[in-house]
């Protein structure tokens, strides 16, 4: 990609949506950005949902406007990048239509289901594998709760996917889960890069109902979309990655020496580092940016996250022996981390 080409970047957050262009040097193209606010529905106590198609229409309208500005500048677009919020899910029926809305991480109605899973599963072992605790904001508890709260719709859904995959499903009639988005489902073995069988066996969901994991971009928009956006018809559309990790990348916090603090719909502090294998830090969540990079930290809907010391992720060059087997049969090296000063960071989520 040269400096004359641009990437169209779309960020779908829980309360706002942004779309803009970046050139080959990573510089934001002037006056290319558009944004809009949106809100999740909270008609009942604990509910936080969004309409999947309305969310898509906001994305599509933003792309329209950004492309309009690009045409005025005679900009060549080399690809499309998408980030969306983690820990959210919707069901899709056979004809691609979502039945329930998007259930976001802010929806806390699965408290009892989370408690039940903590009794049935070894939560510490699940955390070591998936990087997530069994909490009402996470997908295992949501899926169990949905199967009981919306039994008919639950049975009619053939797939369970995050909202970013639904955008691709609308545009290409197929979609896969990036390593980043799969890691944010809390159903994913972080080091083996496969769906976690033990957690799935505790849920009324089969592995076939989850997307295949792939970081390869999609190409070839469906007819109506290709005619609407000819400049994007054949360029690569990269699968969505979690917005949390994008905060680190965008702010230059891409190593152990720098932490990213974000304050928005939620508050979080994150560390991003490069490692083939990660030992999930106790008391923290841990997900993936891509197969070679992990992100760890703490999050709260209130400012309750403290970092008196430094988390202990695996740094480059750490001693290794053993490891985990990836989905392609190769091995990951197990990194042993030298002690860091102070206590590990902890996120006080609460139910």
């Amino acid at each position: 990609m040269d400096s004359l080409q641009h990437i169209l970047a779309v960020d779908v957050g829980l309360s706002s949506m942004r779309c803009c262009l970046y050139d080959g040097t990573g510089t934001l193209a002037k006056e290319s950005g558009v944004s809009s606010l949106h809100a999740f529905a909270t008609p009942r106590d604990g509910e936080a949902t969004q309409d999947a198609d309305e969310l898509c229409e906001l994305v599509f309208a933003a792309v329209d406007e950004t492309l309009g500005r690009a045409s005025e500048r005679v900009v060549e677009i080399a690809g499309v990048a998408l980030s969306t919020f983690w820990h959210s899910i919707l069901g899709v029926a056979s004809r691609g239509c979502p039945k329930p809305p998007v259930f976001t991480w802010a929806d806390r109605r699965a408290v009892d289901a989370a408690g039940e899973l903590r009794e049935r599963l070894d939560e510490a072992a699940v955390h070591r594998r998936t990087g997530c605790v069994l909490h009402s904001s996470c997908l295992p508890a949501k899926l169990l709760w949905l199967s009981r709260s919306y039994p008919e719709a639950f049975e009619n859904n053939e797939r369970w996917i995050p909202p970013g995959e639904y955008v691709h499903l609308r545009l290409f009639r197929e979609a896969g889960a990036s390593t980043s988005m799969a890691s944010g489902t809390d159903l994913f073995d972080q080091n083996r890069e496969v769906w976690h069988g033990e957690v799935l066996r505790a849920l009324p969901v089969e592995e076939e109902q989850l997307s295949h994991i792939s970081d390869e971009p999609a190409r070839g928009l469906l007819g109506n979309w290709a005619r609407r956006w000819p400049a994007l018809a054949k360029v690569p559309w990269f699968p969505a990655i979690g917005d949390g990790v994008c905060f680190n990348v965008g702010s230059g916090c891409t190593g152990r020496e720098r932490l990213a603090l974000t304050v928005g719909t939620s508050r979080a502090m994150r560390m991003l580092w490069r490692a083939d294998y990660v030992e999930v830090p106790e008391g923290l969540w841990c997900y993936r940016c891509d197969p070679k990079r992990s992100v760890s930290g703490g999050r709260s809907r209130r400012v309750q996250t403290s970092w008196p010391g430094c988390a202990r992720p695996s740094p480059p060059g750490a001693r290794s022996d053993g490891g985990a087997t990836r989905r392609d049969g190769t091995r990951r090296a197990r990194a042993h981390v030298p002690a860091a000063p102070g206590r590990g960071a902890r996120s006080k989520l609460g139910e």
Side-chain angles (χ1 to χ4, degrees):
M1 178 177 168
D2 61 46
S3 60
L4 298 178
Q5 294 178 311
H6 289 69
I7 292 292
L8 187 146
V10 183
D11 172 49
V12 183
L14 200 61
S15 57
S16 65
M17 196 283 308
R18 291 167 288 274
C19 185
C20 55
L21 293 168
Y22 290 88
D23 68 18
T25 68
T27 302
L28 176 66
K30 291 182 179 180
E31 300 180 357
S32 69
V34 299
S35 64
S36 62
L37 298 176
H38 60 90
F40 46 78
T42 58
R44 290 175 289 275
D45 186 38
E47 181 175 350
T49 60
Q50 292 185 322
D51 183 282
D53 286 311
E54 288 181 5
L55 204 59
C56 283
E57 291 305 320
L58 288 174
V59 171
F60 302 154
V63 172
D64 285 337
E65 186 171 349
T66 301
L67 287 178
R69 298 185 181 192
S71 66
E72 297 172 0
R73 301 163 59 93
V74 194
V75 167
E76 179 185 354
I77 298 176
V80 180
L82 174 65
S83 69
T84 61
F85 45 90
W86 265 325
H87 320 300
S88 303
I89 200 163
L90 68 146
V92 178
S94 58
R95 284 182 282 183
C97 298
K99 291 298 182 181
V102 177
F103 293 89
T104 73
W105 61 260
D107 193 305
R108 298 303 175 90
R109 291 174 290 174
V111 170
D112 291 341
E116 180 180 332
L117 288 174
R118 285 194 291 269
E119 293 178 357
R120 293 165 55 188
L121 297 170
D122 182 340
E123 185 176 24
V126 169
H127 177 252
R128 285 193 296 271
R129 290 289 190 90
T130 68
C132 179
V133 296
L134 296 169
H135 187 268
S136 62
S137 66
C138 298
L139 300 194
K142 277 186 169 50
L143 287 167
L144 184 59
W145 173 78
L146 284 167
S147 70
R148 296 167 178 172
S149 301
Y150 300 89
E152 184 176 353
F154 192 92
E155 288 298 322
N156 289 336
N157 286 321
E158 293 191 352
R159 294 176 63 183
W160 293 95
I161 61 176
E165 286 179 53
Y166 185 62
V167 173
H168 271 223
L169 198 62
R170 289 272 308 266
L171 298 176
F172 299 96
R173 203 175 289 126
E174 59 182 27
S178 69
T179 300
S180 175
M181 290 308 296
S183 75
T185 63
D186 316 310
L187 302 168
F188 182 73
D189 188 311
Q190 299 289 335
N191 290 310
R192 296 180 61 225
E193 296 181 14
V194 295
W195 298 116
H196 194 327
E198 182 183 358
V199 176
L200 285 176
R201 285 191 291 273
L203 303 173
V205 175
E206 302 294 330
E207 183 174 335
E208 293 73 22
Q209 293 179 275
L210 305 176
S211 295
H212 67 281
I213 301 166
S214 173
D215 294 299
E216 292 299 313
R219 296 175 185 265
L221 288 170
L222 294 175
N224 288 338
W225 299 110
R227 287 187 288 273
R228 180 169 174 175
W229 302 324
L232 306 180
K234 296 181 180 180
V235 303
W237 287 65
F238 293 91
I241 65 174
D243 59 356
V245 73
C246 294
F247 293 131
N248 281 68
V249 174
S251 58
C253 298
T254 56
R256 293 191 72 207
E257 69 282 358
R258 300 183 72 181
L259 304 175
L261 172 64
T262 58
V263 179
T265 307
S266 65
R267 291 83 170 177
M269 186 172 281
R270 302 175 179 90
M271 176 188 291
L272 174 67
W273 76 101
R274 187 180 183 90
D276 276 348
Y277 181 97
V278 59
E279 293 182 2
V280 177
E282 182 182 355
L284 299 177
W285 43 254
C286 185
Y287 305 114
R288 288 273 169 183
C289 171
D290 55 36
K292 297 294 185 180
R293 297 171 181 82
S294 293
V295 62
S296 184
R299 183 195 69 201
S300 176
R301 298 181 74 182
R302 299 178 298 276
V303 181
Q304 291 183 312
T305 305
S306 59
W307 287 76
C310 181
R312 297 174 59 189
S314 307
R319 178 173 59 86
S320 65
D321 59 357
T325 302
R326 298 182 179 94
R327 63 177 180 270
D328 62 5
T330 59
R331 297 283 291 174
R332 284 189 179 279
R334 180 185 299 277
H336 293 272
V337 186
R343 294 176 290 120
R346 292 182 179 273
S347 177
K348 305 173 184 177
L349 287 168
E351 294 284 10

